[in-house]
Amino acid sequence: MGAGFSAACAQPPSTGLSDVPENCVAEVLMYLDPPQICNLARLSKTFHMASSADFVWESKLPSNYKFLVKKLLAEDPENLSKKEIYARLCQANSFDGANKEVWLEKSYGGICFAVSWKALRITGIDDRRYWKHLPAEESRFHSMAYLQQIWWFEVEGELEFEFPAGTYSIFFRIQLGKTSRRLGRKVCNIERVHGWDIKPVRFQLSTSDGQHALSQCYLCEPGKWVHYHAGDFMVEKPNTSMKVKFSMTQIDCTHTKGGLCLDSVFICPAEYRDRVKNL
């Protein structure tokens, strides 16, 4: 009777995270953001295995990920796990002579682009009376174009790509003033900044499917890198090549303008717009 009583009072075996079925964990992870998935993968072996499931990471990849793998990684997507594809696409991948880069934003998987000034058509860019080409550690392309002075300011560029569906914003990354180092500290010389407060700069974009956008603003905030919003465009037919053209002009020849650093053009999902402006 004593033995029976002891058996009846015995505690049930304890359970923990390692007892949750791996497929159940993976189903839950599908609803989380990539950083959350990576954090939970440290909890147990089960969570670690579940976090590597292909269907978990395929849900985070853009619809055109197979195109991206072939174009940027030069590999067959069937030979890579979806987790590896996501990780490698989150790195900056160069194309078009290393003057353009594309990557996935790590937290949400949105596709972003950067186009170096070297890939843009810039009036007078090869005339050193107007422009200088400077090394720049603050640029992802490690160089920038510095405008000393010019009458006719015109910058044009284009990007042809297979975009996932969504709305995208285009920005020009610009600084008024030239940054240099003095006694080991960064300083910005704004003495040659002039002309940008007389007439506004005009930004335009157009797409191969007939979209257009036009905006204008005065350039301001000397000594600070600013992302000037050129406009938005929408992609309704994913995985179909679309050409986007964009420009920045100030062609009023009644005055000169100068003292401007041009780094690149940035393209990202429109929902990231506020974060880009605050960079």
Side-chain angles (χ1 to χ4, degrees), residues 2-64:
F5 179 78
S6 298
C9 294
Q11 295 293 324
S14 61
T15 57
L17 291 175
S18 59
D19 298 305
V20 180
E22 183 181 313
N23 62 325
C24 293
V25 174
E27 290 285 349
V28 173
L29 295 181
M30 281 185 62
Y31 296 94
L32 304 181
D33 295 330
Q36 295 173 318
I37 296 173
C38 294
N39 287 333
L40 289 175
R42 303 189 185 102
L43 289 178
S44 69
K45 183 178 180 180
T46 301
F47 273 71
H48 177 75
M49 295 297 292
S51 70
S52 298
D54 269 354
F55 71 86
V56 170
W57 289 99
E58 188 164 18
S59 67
K60 311 304 174 186
L61 288 167
S63 60
N64 66 338

Side-chain angles (χ1 to χ4, degrees), residues 170-174 203 217-220 226-230:
I170 297 182
F171 300 86
F172 282 79
R173 186 171 188 261
I174 296 166
F203 298 95
C217 71
Y218 291 92
L219 305 189
C220 54
V226 179
H227 289 80
Y228 288 94
H229 183 218

Side-chain angles (χ1 to χ4, degrees), residues 163-182:
F163 296 88
T167 302
Y168 295 83
S169 296
I170 297 182
F171 300 86
F172 282 79
R173 186 171 188 261
I174 296 166
Q175 176 182 265
L176 296 182
K178 181 171 65 173
T179 302
S180 61
R181 283 195 174 274
R182 185 178 301 165

Side-chain angles (χ1 to χ4, degrees), residues 17-276:
L17 291 175
S18 59
D19 298 305
V20 180
E22 183 181 313
N23 62 325
C24 293
V25 174
E27 290 285 349
V28 173
L29 295 181
M30 281 185 62
Y31 296 94
L32 304 181
D33 295 330
Q36 295 173 318
I37 296 173
C38 294
N39 287 333
L40 289 175
R42 303 189 185 102
L43 289 178
S44 69
K45 183 178 180 180
T46 301
F47 273 71
H48 177 75
M49 295 297 292
S51 70
S52 298
D54 269 354
F55 71 86
V56 170
W57 289 99
E58 188 164 18
S59 67
K60 311 304 174 186
L61 288 167
S63 60
N64 66 338
Y65 78 88
K66 293 182 179 180
F67 161 78
L68 295 174
V69 170
K70 293 175 181 178
K71 180 177 179 64
L72 304 173
L73 307 182
E75 295 200 43
D76 185 343
E78 301 303 322
N79 295 334
L80 302 172
S81 71
K82 301 302 186 291
K83 182 178 181 179
E84 181 180 358
I85 290 174
Y86 191 90
R88 291 177 64 177
L89 290 181
C90 283
Q91 302 171 10
N93 294 280
S94 301
F95 64 105
D96 283 3
N99 288 325
K100 298 176 182 177
E101 291 183 349
V102 59
W103 67 95
L104 299 185
E105 200 278 332
K106 291 182 180 180
S107 296
Y108 304 103
I111 191 167
C112 302
F113 302 84
V115 181
S116 168
W117 66 269
K118 293 181 179 180
L120 305 176
R121 295 183 297 277
I122 304 173
T123 300
I125 189 62
D126 295 321
D127 192 328
R128 295 305 173 91
R129 293 175 300 174
Y130 305 129
W131 291 90
K132 284 186 176 181
H133 309 169
L134 303 177
E137 61 184 36
E138 63 264 43
S139 169
R140 65 186 311 116
F141 296 101
H142 310 296
S143 70
M144 61 185 176
Y146 175 67
L147 175 64
Q148 301 184 97
Q149 179 172 289
I150 203 166
W151 293 89
W152 185 284
F153 176 78
E154 188 170 26
V155 178
E156 299 177 331
E158 62 182 42
L159 175 66
E160 186 168 1
F161 211 81
E162 291 186 16
F163 296 88
T167 302
Y168 295 83
S169 296
I170 297 182
F171 300 86
F172 282 79
R173 186 171 188 261
I174 296 166
Q175 176 182 265
L176 296 182
K178 181 171 65 173
T179 302
S180 61
R181 283 195 174 274
R182 185 178 301 165
L183 300 177
R185 298 179 59 186
K186 284 186 180 180
V187 294
C188 187
N189 186 338
I190 62 174
E191 292 179 359
R192 303 193 67 170
V193 175
H194 68 282
W196 305 109
D197 57 347
I198 299 175
K199 291 290 181 67
V201 170
R202 174 174 290 193
F203 298 95
Q204 295 186 79
L205 74 83
S206 63
T207 65
S208 53
D209 66 351
Q211 299 178 64
H212 297 273
L214 171 65
S215 63
Q216 58 183 20
C217 71
Y218 291 92
L219 305 189
C220 54
E221 299 187 72
K224 177 182 178 181
W225 284 103
V226 179
H227 289 80
Y228 288 94
H229 183 218
D232 297 342
F233 65 95
M234 183 178 296
V235 177
E236 295 180 335
K237 296 180 180 179
N239 310 323
T240 300
S241 182
M242 173 184 282
K243 179 179 287 189
V244 184
K245 296 183 178 181
F246 37 85
S247 66
M248 172 185 178
T249 59
Q250 214 290 27
I251 55 178
D252 184 332
C253 292
T254 61
H255 65 283
T256 63
K257 35 267 176 189
L260 174 145
C261 287
L262 173 62
D263 173 35
S264 58
V265 172
F266 183 61
I267 303 174
C268 67
E271 56 264 34
Y272 300 171
R273 185 189 307 167
D274 291 339
R275 276 181 281 167
V276 171

